[in-house]
């Protein structure tokens, strides 16, 4: 049997990242060359977030192309909470993407960057008066999340003399089969108007001259793998929309939320069962193009999802593909924007505008966190790779048990005879046992100082980062071909102390 993945990595991950002989590249840059380099007069030290502009633009275009193909009237609103870096927001604006916001500060930033207020959406189950005031004064769409939120909007608008443009956020009671923290549209969760409050909300909204109801909204959760869930929630929204139209004549918008899953596990090693299936199928194969594909896989020139999708294009391979698929983790092959859009297009009334508000799927695969290995530690129970990145830059593994793929970003310099892969936990320096980035990962032993990449950190990593243990937030670099731009400076000790007067007066 061929030993998969003992060969140097030479595969393309996406439009932004690829391996060449075990060296990770972001566009035209070998990422480890960034460490300790000078960019615009700043010394870049690890850890750093490295973003690919090309991959962000690819993600935007994927959505835009599918929207166009659907022939439906749809507006794309990027959910800023996934990553608020103003450079990314400017890129969204350049490509005609609007924004969904969850706080007054996100709204201030959007307005500062010149986004048209009429297509921005302010969402939230606990809005502050000033946030509601700014949104309504600016003509931003506001999601009504509850009875008290509606009363608050009316009160604020009365004081300011505005009319609010609102969408009702509906709780469709759908279980999207995701981590419980990421489920937002089930009965009993804190988001959306409850069925108990709905009638009173409708009545008050109808009677108020300060409220202009323009549509409905729902968001069932995040990392949703089965697009049937979106179809179901859209159906519920459409049914209610048809019922309410007689009362609220100005309703034209159906905001379907975000939440599409992304393939966090697309680079994982070929599972044993899949290897077995492949050997049965290909060991005596004589068809040159299929054999070539198989050789590419076992020689680490393509990833398993690429292999499966290319195999699919050869006719007559459906049984192999479906056999392989049953052994693949759901985070390896996920639905695409096309699947999401196709799942809802035919049930949308023709005279409505649908808003899609993806966050993760627009940016997640556009970035890595690049760290250095501080050292390794072996023991009978666990082996550790200790790196300089930590839970303060990537909280998702600790908070949700989330998987982020981790690979060395350059060849290990540890003596080749010690190079059989061991199983490691990859941990950071934070004083807390929850500070892990990956558990039980098979990797060759890295040398001290070796570059190591944590993948898929474009969404909910930088935006959820913290100063715990007084760690400074890292720099963020944007790669565009062979150009490198600092899109966020590394924080300093002084930045962290800025709000503490006792230190500033010393
Ligand atoms: N719209 C609304 C109303 C939302 O609440 C969210 C995310 C989105 C859109 C975007 O969802 P996305 O396409 O990014 O899945 N911190 C978690 C994710 C929480 C998302 C909450 N809402 C994580 O790291 O996985």
């Amino acid at each position: 049997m061929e030993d998969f993945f003992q060969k140097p990595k030479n595969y393309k991950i996406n439009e932004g990242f690829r391996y060449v002989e075990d060296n990770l590249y972001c566009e035209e840059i070998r990422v480890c060359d960034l460490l300790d380099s000078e960019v615009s007069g700043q010394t870049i030290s690890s850890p750093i977030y490295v973003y690919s502009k090309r991959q962000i633009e690819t993600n935007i275009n994927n959505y835009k192309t599918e929207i166009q193909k659907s022939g439906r009237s749809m507006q794309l609103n990027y959910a800023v909470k996934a990553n608020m870096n103003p450079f990314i927001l400017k890129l969204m604006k350049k490509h005609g993407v609007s924004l969904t916001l969850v706080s007054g500060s996100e709204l201030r930033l959007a307005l500062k960057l010149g986004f048209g207020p009429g297509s921005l959406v302010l969402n939230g189950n606990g809005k502050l008066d000033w946030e509601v005031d700014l949104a309504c004064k600016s003509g931003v769409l506001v999601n009504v999340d509850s009875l008290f939120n509606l009363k608050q909007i009316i009160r604020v608008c009365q004081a300011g003399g505005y009319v609010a443009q609102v969408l009702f956020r509906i709780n469709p009671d759908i279980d999207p089969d995701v981590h419980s923290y990421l489920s937002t549209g089930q009965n009993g969760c804190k988001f959306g108007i409850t069925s108990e409050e709905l009638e009173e909300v409708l009545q008050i909204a109808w009677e108020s001259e300060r409220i202009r109801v323009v549509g409905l909204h729902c968001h069932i959760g995040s990392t949703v793998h089965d697009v049937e869930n979106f179809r179901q929630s859209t159906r519920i929204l459409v049914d209610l929309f048809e019922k309410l139209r007689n009362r609220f004549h100005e309703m034209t918008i159906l905001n379907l939320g975000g939440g599409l899953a992304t393939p966090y596990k697309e680079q994982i090693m070929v599972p044993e069962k899949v290897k077995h299936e492949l050997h049965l199928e290909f060991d005596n194969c004589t068809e040159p193009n299929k054999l070539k594909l198989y050789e590419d896989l076992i020689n680490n020139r393509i990833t398993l999802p690429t292999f499966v999708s290319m195999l699919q294009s050869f006719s007559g391979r459906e049984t192999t593909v479906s056999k392989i698929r049953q052994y693949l983790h759901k985070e390896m092959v996920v639905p695409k924007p096309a699947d999401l859009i196709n799942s809802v297009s035919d049930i949308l009334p023709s005279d409505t505008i649908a808003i899609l508000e993806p966050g993760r799927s627009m940016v997640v695969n556009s970035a890595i966190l690049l760290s250095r290995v501080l050292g390794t530690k072996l023991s009978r129970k666990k082996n550790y790779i200790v790196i300089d990145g930590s839970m303060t830059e990537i909280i998702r593994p600790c908070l949700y048990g989330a998987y982020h793929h981790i690979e060395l970003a350059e060849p290990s310099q540890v003596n080749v005879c010690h190079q059989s892969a061991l199983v490691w936990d990859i941990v950071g320096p934070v004083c807390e046992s929850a500070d892990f980035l990956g558990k039980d990962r098979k990797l060759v032993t890295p040398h001290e100082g070796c570059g190591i990449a944590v993948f898929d950190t474009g969404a909910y990593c930088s935006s959820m980062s913290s100063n715990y243990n007084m760690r400074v937030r890292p720099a963020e670099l944007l790669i565009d071909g062979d150009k490198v731009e600092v899109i966020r400076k590394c924080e300093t000790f002084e930045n962290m102390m800025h709000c503490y007067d006792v230190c500033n007066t010393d």
Side-chain angles (χ1 to χ4, degrees):
M1 263 197 186
E2 283 272 6
D3 198 0
F4 283 69
F5 294 98
Q6 288 304 308
K7 312 273 169 52
K9 292 185 284 295
N10 266 306
Y11 52 76
K12 177 176 170 180
I13 298 159
N14 56 35
E15 298 309 314
F17 294 93
R18 69 183 192 285
Y19 270 102
V20 180
E21 296 293 314
D22 273 343
N23 286 290
L24 180 62
Y25 279 74
C26 179
E27 304 202 8
E28 307 316 321
I29 304 280
R30 198 184 81 95
V31 294
C32 289
D33 290 342
L34 295 166
L35 295 173
D36 303 315
S37 69
E38 287 270 319
V39 182
S40 317
Q42 292 168 55
T43 306
I44 303 301
S45 46
S46 68
I48 42 172
Y49 297 102
V50 182
Y51 292 81
S52 158
K53 183 176 176 199
R54 193 185 295 154
Q55 186 57 42
I56 301 174
E57 292 188 318
T58 301
N59 294 341
I60 297 172
N61 285 333
N62 284 347
Y63 268 103
K64 285 179 66 176
T65 309
E66 293 307 324
I67 287 176
Q68 205 162 23
K69 273 201 227 157
S70 77
R72 314 304 308 226
S73 170
M74 287 192 193
Q75 175 184 313
L76 192 56
N77 273 34
Y78 165 66
V80 173
K81 60 166 75 168
N83 192 320
M84 53 61 69
N85 190 301
F87 181 90
I88 293 177
L89 303 189
K90 278 178 158 175
L91 209 53
M92 296 292 167
K93 179 160 178 275
K94 181 177 150 203
H95 290 277
V97 180
S98 188
L99 305 177
T100 284
L101 315 154
V102 286
S103 71
S105 296
E106 286 188 0
L107 172 54
R108 283 183 63 184
L109 178 57
L111 295 173
K112 204 177 165 77
L113 295 175
F115 281 86
S119 54
L120 296 172
V121 176
L122 178 68
N123 191 50
N125 67 313
K127 304 178 189 77
L128 306 177
D129 280 4
W130 77 265
E131 298 176 316
V132 173
D133 185 75
L134 180 60
C136 295
K137 178 163 61 190
S138 316
V140 167
L141 301 173
V142 180
N143 280 346
V144 175
D145 188 83
S146 59
L147 184 57
F148 83 79
N149 185 201
L150 177 66
K151 290 178 180 169
Q152 174 193 34
I153 295 169
I154 294 172
R155 174 170 49 74
V156 169
C157 283
Q158 238 144 21
Y162 332 121
V163 173
Q165 325 288 317
V166 307
L167 307 171
F168 293 134
R169 177 164 180 174
I170 303 304
N171 180 331
D173 191 19
I174 284 177
D175 176 1
D177 190 22
V178 297
H179 188 284
S180 63
Y181 296 176
L182 307 183
S183 172
T184 52
Q186 274 177 285
N187 211 327
C189 83
K190 71 170 183 172
F191 299 101
I193 300 167
T194 62
S195 46
E196 290 79 5
E197 288 188 349
L198 182 62
E199 237 346 284
E200 197 175 346
V201 166
L202 297 175
Q203 191 57 32
I204 293 179
W206 194 73
E207 284 166 7
S208 173
E209 58 186 18
R210 297 288 163 195
I211 297 292
R212 183 169 164 245
V213 182
V214 294
L216 302 178
H217 171 243
C218 82
H219 171 74
I220 55 173
S222 214
T223 70
V224 180
H225 283 86
D226 185 354
V227 291
E228 184 55 30
N229 290 305
F230 294 116
R231 188 170 174 85
Q232 269 183 35
S233 61
T234 303
R235 217 184 258 292
I236 291 170
L237 220 56
V238 170
D239 286 351
L240 187 63
F241 187 83
E242 298 294 4
K243 266 197 227 148
L244 296 182
R245 264 182 156 182
N246 302 335
R247 265 204 265 183
F248 301 101
H249 304 290
E250 293 178 286
M251 286 211 315
T252 50
I253 298 173
L254 284 171
N255 183 343
L256 310 182
L260 193 63
T262 56
Y264 283 106
K265 290 194 173 164
E266 70 179 342
Q267 281 188 74
I268 64 171
M269 276 191 256
V270 179
E272 288 301 323
K273 291 209 165 125
V274 174
K275 283 185 197 174
H276 181 70
E277 284 302 327
L278 294 175
H279 286 307
L280 291 180
E281 172 84 19
F282 288 94
D283 273 359
N284 299 316
C285 172
T286 50
E287 293 167 70
N289 44 4
K290 274 170 221 155
L291 208 52
K292 159 91 173 53
L293 197 60
Y294 181 56
E295 279 170 7
D296 280 350
L297 178 73
I298 61 180
N299 286 311
N300 240 341
R301 290 194 287 261
I302 53 174
T303 61
L304 184 55
T306 307
F307 172 81
V308 172
S309 75
M310 289 174 79
L311 192 61
Q312 236 162 354
S313 62
F314 297 128
S315 60
R317 289 298 116 182
E318 290 78 13
T319 39
T320 319
V321 170
S322 58
K323 263 194 213 155
I324 296 174
R325 269 183 185 273
Q326 67 181 328
Y327 298 125
L328 298 186
H329 193 278
K330 65 176 185 176
E331 285 183 274
M332 197 175 228
V333 183
V334 301
K336 307 224 159 22
D339 302 307
L340 165 67
I341 290 167
N342 291 338
S343 75
V344 297
S345 292
D346 63 318
I347 50 177
L348 293 169
S350 56
D351 54 348
T352 53
I353 301 160
I355 296 180
L356 301 180
E357 41 183 28
R360 187 186 322 266
S361 50
M362 301 276 273
V363 287
V364 72
N365 59 356
S366 71
I368 58 163
L369 182 78
L370 182 63
S371 300
R372 275 199 196 281
V373 171
L374 296 172
T376 55
K377 196 187 263 192
L378 301 178
S379 80
R380 245 182 312 126
K381 280 202 165 157
K382 278 271 174 202
N383 299 319
Y384 290 103
I385 298 177
V386 185
I387 68 176
D388 56 14
S390 77
M391 67 188 289
T392 57
E393 294 77 45
I394 309 177
I395 188 103
R396 303 190 68 259
C398 145
L399 189 57
Y400 314 115
Y403 181 94
H404 281 262
H405 195 72
I406 302 176
E407 292 281 353
L408 304 195
E410 60 186 336
S412 170
Q413 291 164 13
V414 172
N415 196 326
V416 189
C417 56
H418 296 120
Q419 272 301 28
S420 59
L422 294 175
V423 175
W424 308 89
D425 278 10
I426 292 91
V427 299
V430 167
C431 192
E432 171 112 16
S433 290
D435 180 26
F436 60 89
L437 300 167
K439 291 200 163 183
D440 301 323
R441 305 296 174 85
K442 208 169 172 192
L443 289 171
V444 295
T445 307
H447 56 275
E448 282 180 20
C450 184
I452 187 162
V454 185
F455 287 87
D456 296 313
T457 60
Y460 304 112
C461 289
S462 168
S463 63
M464 293 176 79
S465 64
S466 78
N467 290 126
Y468 186 38
N469 281 205
M470 281 193 81
R471 286 170 59 86
V472 291
R473 286 188 180 81
E476 301 187 19
L477 303 184
L478 182 85
I479 310 299
D480 179 10
D482 59 1
K483 291 200 290 290
V484 185
E485 191 183 341
V486 180
I487 56 170
R488 178 181 179 152
K489 286 187 260 188
C490 183
E491 249 176 352
T492 61
F493 174 77
E494 288 70 26
N495 293 152
M496 280 195 291
M497 298 316 295
H498 183 71
C499 296
Y500 299 93
D501 285 344
V502 66
C503 284
N504 296 332
T505 52
D506 266 357

